[in-house]
Amino acid sequence: MFNKIRNLKNLIGRTFKSTRARTGDEFLLRENDFGTLHVETEVIKRIVERVTINGVHEVKNVSVDKPTQDEPLGIKLDLVITPDYSAPKVGANLRDEIKRILYDTFKIKDALFDIKVTQINQLLPEKKRRQLR
């Protein structure tokens, strides 16, 4: 009988109340009559790392700064682009795509970007393959 009460208490306690402390890496996204919505900067970082567009080989070293009263969300990243693409155009396209995804997902309108192109990835020549006879 005590086990049933303990299981019920655990179920109700976990359903209605969270005792998880707020971390320093999250910020307030929305607040209304129904409650508040917080977002961790790690979520924003993972979204930015997964954005793919033509000309981007790899997105590295992503860091996200929480928004404050004076400044919007800050996103810094290093970019490895593929050959035959313009670095300013690829950077602008990536920035626009990240802004679109952040707006569609979280309704975040403003973000400051610091994009550094650190490398142009050289395509490796295709290895000759032996033919089996």
Side-chain angles (χ1 to χ4, degrees), residues 126-130:
E126 190 173 322
K127 294 180 180 178
K128 290 186 178 182
R129 296 181 182 164
R130 296 186 318 182

Side-chain angles (χ1 to χ4, degrees), residues 4-15:
K4 290 181 182 180
I5 293 172
R6 189 176 313 134
N7 290 339
L8 182 62
K9 180 182 173 186
N10 288 340
L11 176 65
I12 292 174
R14 290 185 183 136
T15 303

Side-chain angles (χ1 to χ4, degrees), residues 76-91:
K76 298 175 187 172
L77 58 100
D78 293 341
L79 190 60
V80 177
I81 63 173
T82 56
D84 300 332
Y85 281 92
S86 168
K89 187 180 268 189
V90 170

Side-chain angles (χ1 to χ4, degrees), residues 40-57:
E40 290 191 16
T41 56
E42 187 67 26
V43 173
I44 305 289
K45 178 181 174 183
R46 289 180 187 210
I47 287 174
V48 170
E49 289 173 342
R50 286 182 171 85
V51 173
T52 57
I53 62 165
N54 288 335
V56 173
H57 179 72

